[in-house]
Amino acid sequence: MSSHPFVFSAATLVSLATILPVQSKETTYIEPPMVSIPKGTFTMGSTEGREDELPIRKVTVPAFQMGKYEVTVAEYRKFIEATGYESTKGCVHRIGPQWFGSGERDGTWDDNIYVLSEFHPVVCVSRTDAINYAKWLSKASGDQYRLPTEAEWEYAVRAGTKSKYFFGDETRSSDACRYANIADIHAYSLSGKLYDAPYAQDAINACNDNEVMISTVGLYKPNGFGLYDMEGNVVERLADCYQDSYEGAPVDGSAVTKKDCEVFVARGGSWHWPAFGSSRRMMMYEDFFAALEGFRLVKDTKGKALEAAAGTPWFVKQLNEAQKNARNKHKKENPHYPKQVNDVKLSRLSKDKVKIAWQAEQKSGVTGYELLRQDPLTNQTITLVKLSHKQTSFIDDTALSHNGRYSVVALNGSSKSLPSPVFDSYSKQPHAIPSRIEGEAFNFAPGATVVNSSFEPEGDKIIGSLGTSKASYILEAQTAGDYLMTIRLFHSGPTQNYTLMLNGDPITTSVLSGERGWRTIKDIKVKFEQGQQTLTIQGETAIFAVNWFDIAMR
């Protein structure tokens, strides 16, 4: 797959008027628009995030200036034209069935599938490239530009807020799309068709930001300091050496430094992920080189509170025009996605019949509904039926003998809502033991999902992804006695508890520990009575999954 045909098929998502405009010859460099960030003290980190966001501590940051936008292709182009600098080559940028890494490592800063205009963030730049650009701009302009420190970045993104995101506390908030280009319902709807790389429903924010991938800088609402795209669009490289906690980290706003550092900090998430939050950290190796990553600059003012800098006039004028064109395109072309259907009720009428009913959506332009059924044992989802907007129930008289999973999708012409929460048909068909039971073969598991694991062997990739949800399995022991159970579980690291119960009584198991990955837990002792009983497993972290149970007589 060559990059240029792909670019122009994706270019329908942005204004063609903004692609590669004529470059001004009036300046040899572009002064970026800068926002003045006042000095202040804030609480850095979070007690509700990941372990590397601890311990929280008070940090005092001197006044400085930060780039209003992420550095664009146009700005970086001036650097290359002025210096003949050899920017890093061999960027992973193509999208395919496994998302990134399809094809050769052939991308460069000006030849990758994300160069949709001069006013998109520059990507396929290494950390060294970003630092060298900042040094050149400093020399050319007489000002001191550099990468932000991690403390400066978090202080700037929070802009005085203490919430999880600078726009609130709600996880997967629909407000996120007003402020950021992130993984959303628009990308969920189109990425599979455009790139053969679909999103999982639980990997997006349920809102529409009108973009499928990278976007022109500055299209969305700024944060409280007037900074754009601090959430989403591209990952931003920072100055700090990464360490897995804030223990001993500076409290004066300066960077964490370490001799021969190989791993650095990045922040802000990207268009490819749901909203990250103000304290969320990323680690990035010095030589990591791919296409989700860009950067923004700060101007070191030696602690002085200087007035904001408007930026090079011709650049700002062209950027404003590009933003206007992109927003107009959003209004003109992008569809209205109906609200997700949530009030669904399911009842099993007989072994072969299941009734599904839901409440009509009154004010969201719904023209009809689609009813989906997933077979968890094959991880195949089919459309059972398409109905008019007046039909709000359906009887499936070919229900699966084992558990089936149903969801409802609202339609507005060709636009679709996210599927409703999944409802199990709750088969009472037991699993005879001793036997091996697949993790996805649960009888009932509200909140769990069935997905394919890219890490497990071929022929055994379907798993039950539980998170903190429960999955229950009805077992039927032919013979009472002592059994040994082996379980294949996904462990998110470094330590993780889970609960295993038989008929509501806990079973003693070992704690998961060590590096992130799949673990096989052996020799779990269980006593089964003859007849039916219920085995239940529940995780305690957001990333927890089960591939199979193997139950054998001792």
Side-chain angles (χ1 to χ4, degrees), residues 128-164:
T128 299
D129 295 337
I131 290 171
N132 285 335
Y133 169 79
K135 289 179 178 178
W136 166 78
L137 183 61
S138 298
K139 184 176 180 180
S141 67
D143 292 313
Q144 186 60 47
Y145 292 97
R146 56 174 171 77
L147 294 181
T149 70
E150 188 175 16
E152 288 172 337
W153 195 96
E154 186 169 327
Y155 175 65
V157 72
R158 288 186 179 280
T161 63
K162 298 179 181 179
S163 50
K164 182 174 182 178

Side-chain angles (χ1 to χ4, degrees), residues 5 45 58 66 77 116 130 179 197 229 300-301 310 313 356 367 377 401 415 418 446 453 499 508 519 534:
K58 295 287 186 182
M66 177 171 267
R77 187 181 299 280
L116 297 175
Y179 294 91
D229 302 315
D300 196 330
T301 66
I356 307 95
T367 60
L377 301 190
S401 59
S415 301
L418 291 176
S453 170
T499 303
T508 301
R519 295 284 184 275
T534 301

Side-chain angles (χ1 to χ4, degrees), residues 81-383:
E81 290 175 347
T83 65
Y85 177 79
E86 287 289 332
S87 199
T88 310
K89 298 179 176 64
C91 171
V92 176
H93 66 110
R94 299 182 188 277
I95 303 175
Q98 295 298 323
W99 272 102
F100 304 104
S102 300
E104 299 176 0
R105 295 173 60 98
D106 58 355
T108 59
W109 71 272
D110 63 342
D111 186 11
N112 63 74
I113 65 173
Y114 309 102
V115 187
L116 297 175
S117 85
E118 293 290 286
F119 304 107
H120 280 66
V122 65
V123 295
C124 288
V125 286
S126 69
R127 187 171 186 277
T128 299
D129 295 337
I131 290 171
N132 285 335
Y133 169 79
K135 289 179 178 178
W136 166 78
L137 183 61
S138 298
K139 184 176 180 180
S141 67
D143 292 313
Q144 186 60 47
Y145 292 97
R146 56 174 171 77
L147 294 181
T149 70
E150 188 175 16
E152 288 172 337
W153 195 96
E154 186 169 327
Y155 175 65
V157 72
R158 288 186 179 280
T161 63
K162 298 179 181 179
S163 50
K164 182 174 182 178
Y165 312 93
F166 67 79
F167 45 81
D169 273 313
E170 182 186 348
T171 300
R172 305 295 168 88
S173 167
S174 59
D175 275 347
C177 290
R178 297 167 57 206
Y179 294 91
N181 173 24
I182 50 176
D184 67 329
I185 188 172
H186 192 53
Y188 174 87
S189 299
L190 293 179
S191 63
K193 301 173 186 176
L194 290 174
Y195 318 129
D196 193 23
Y199 284 94
Q201 185 177 341
D202 62 353
I204 66 168
N205 278 71
C207 55
N208 179 16
D209 64 31
N210 299 305
E211 295 281 350
V212 176
M213 57 175 190
I214 195 170
S215 67
T216 300
V217 299
L219 294 187
Y220 305 95
K221 292 185 65 174
N223 76 346
F225 280 155
L227 298 165
Y228 291 82
D229 302 315
M230 292 290 282
E231 179 75 71
N233 215 13
V234 295
V235 177
E236 299 183 10
R237 297 179 184 270
L238 302 183
D240 294 57
C241 186
Y242 175 85
Q243 55 185 25
D244 60 9
S245 83
Y246 287 135
E247 197 70 47
V251 294
D252 61 356
S254 60
V256 173
T257 58
K258 183 180 177 182
K259 187 178 181 180
D260 299 323
C261 181
E262 296 181 352
V263 185
F264 291 85
V265 180
R267 289 287 200 119
S270 79
W271 59 267
H272 179 58
W273 298 309
F276 259 30
S278 298
S279 60
R280 176 78 174 270
R281 308 176 72 206
M282 295 177 66
M283 55 183 293
M284 192 166 293
Y285 283 89
E286 166 77 2
D287 59 356
F288 181 77
F289 184 53
L292 290 182
E293 296 75 32
F295 63 104
R296 99 171 54 218
L297 297 178
V298 300
K299 184 192 292 184
D300 196 330
T301 66
K302 306 300 182 184
K304 294 180 180 179
L306 303 180
E307 290 187 7
T312 298
W314 69 262
F315 170 75
V316 173
K317 182 178 179 180
Q318 289 190 12
L319 172 58
N320 290 342
E321 187 66 22
Q323 292 168 339
K324 178 182 176 181
N325 290 339
R327 292 189 186 108
N328 286 340
K329 199 168 186 68
H330 288 176
K331 293 177 183 178
K332 181 180 178 181
E333 295 189 1
N334 283 324
H336 169 68
Y337 293 96
K339 290 178 61 178
Q340 185 182 39
V341 178
N342 285 304
D343 191 3
V344 180
K345 292 181 172 59
L346 184 146
S347 55
R348 191 147 200 148
L349 303 180
S350 67
K351 180 181 178 182
D352 300 321
K353 290 186 178 181
V354 171
K355 181 178 180 179
I356 307 95
W358 57 93
Q359 292 293 320
E361 291 290 340
Q362 301 295 329
K363 299 180 180 180
S364 58
V366 173
T367 60
Y369 298 95
E370 242 177 28
L371 184 63
L372 308 179
R373 185 183 72 194
Q374 180 189 31
D375 182 344
L377 301 190
T378 63
N379 197 21
Q380 296 297 311
T381 298
I382 63 170
T383 300

